[in-house]
Amino acid sequence: MQRDSTNQTAFIIIIAILAVIYESLSTIYSFLPPLFGLTILALFYRPKESTFYLLLFYLLLFESDHMLITLSTLLFAWIIIKIIMPFIEEIIACKICLHTISIALSYFGFFMLSSLFSFIWGINTGMHYDYLALLYFVVVETLFSVILL
């Protein structure tokens, strides 16, 4: 039996609205992780086309909400997904370990890339997290990934 396309479209619209609300709340309340690592991890598992575009939308929303350099999250996601993660996946067989490394690499790697852009071009990139907050985000999102994925 085939799913009704209007139900699927309505579901995607509802998820997009919830993504906008959650990203706004994660900016206001610092204890909510922005789900950046989970978004990169979900993109790594090659989702369906509609989910893929929704995840790209969330990355762009994250980028604009935190005043980051335009398309820097997409560039970073491409580097992680196409270059680094396949190499790590060959070495590590443990799925939970792979999720933890992927999420940690997403946050700390993007923080370092943002700092590099800030150093090279002398601009404020908007990433003002300390390492303790990033570590908190990694732990919370790893727990989410174990439960959800």
Side-chain angles (χ1 to χ4, degrees):
M1 184 167 219
Q2 192 174 18
R3 292 181 90 184
D4 189 13
S5 65
T6 56
N7 287 342
Q8 187 175 9
T9 306
F11 179 73
I12 290 172
I13 291 171
I14 289 171
I15 294 296
I17 291 170
L18 289 175
V20 169
I21 291 170
Y22 182 81
E23 180 57 40
S24 300
L25 287 176
S26 72
T27 304
I28 295 169
Y29 301 111
S30 60
F31 64 89
L32 291 174
L35 303 180
F36 179 69
L38 279 179
T39 306
I40 299 289
L41 186 64
L43 282 170
F44 177 67
Y45 286 116
R46 296 170 184 85
K48 293 186 294 187
E49 185 177 356
S50 59
T51 309
F52 176 76
Y53 290 125
L54 187 63
L55 292 170
L56 291 182
F57 169 74
Y58 188 78
L59 281 179
L60 291 174
L61 182 66
F62 172 79
E63 182 176 284
S64 66
D65 206 21
H66 293 277
M67 296 182 297
L68 301 172
I69 297 173
T70 306
L71 301 177
S72 63
T73 56
L74 297 180
L75 173 69
F76 181 74
W78 182 82
I79 291 169
I80 289 290
I81 292 166
K82 294 294 184 185
I83 299 171
I84 297 173
M85 284 305 294
F87 177 71
I88 293 174
E89 190 179 36
E90 289 179 10
I91 297 171
I92 298 174
C94 172
K95 195 168 194 119
I96 295 173
C97 301
L98 183 66
H99 289 185
T100 305
I101 289 171
S102 170
I103 291 170
L105 187 63
S106 297
Y107 275 107
F108 291 111
F110 189 73
F111 183 76
M112 287 189 286
L113 181 71
S114 180
S115 298
L116 179 69
F117 285 160
S118 178
F119 176 74
I120 290 174
W121 290 304
I123 57 175
N124 185 7
T125 58
M127 269 312 258
H128 298 293
Y129 293 115
D130 60 347
Y131 287 109
L132 192 59
L134 292 178
L135 185 62
Y136 168 74
F137 293 158
V138 167
V139 168
V140 170
E141 288 192 23
T142 300
L143 292 175
F144 284 162
S145 74
V146 169
I147 293 170
L148 297 176
L149 303 176

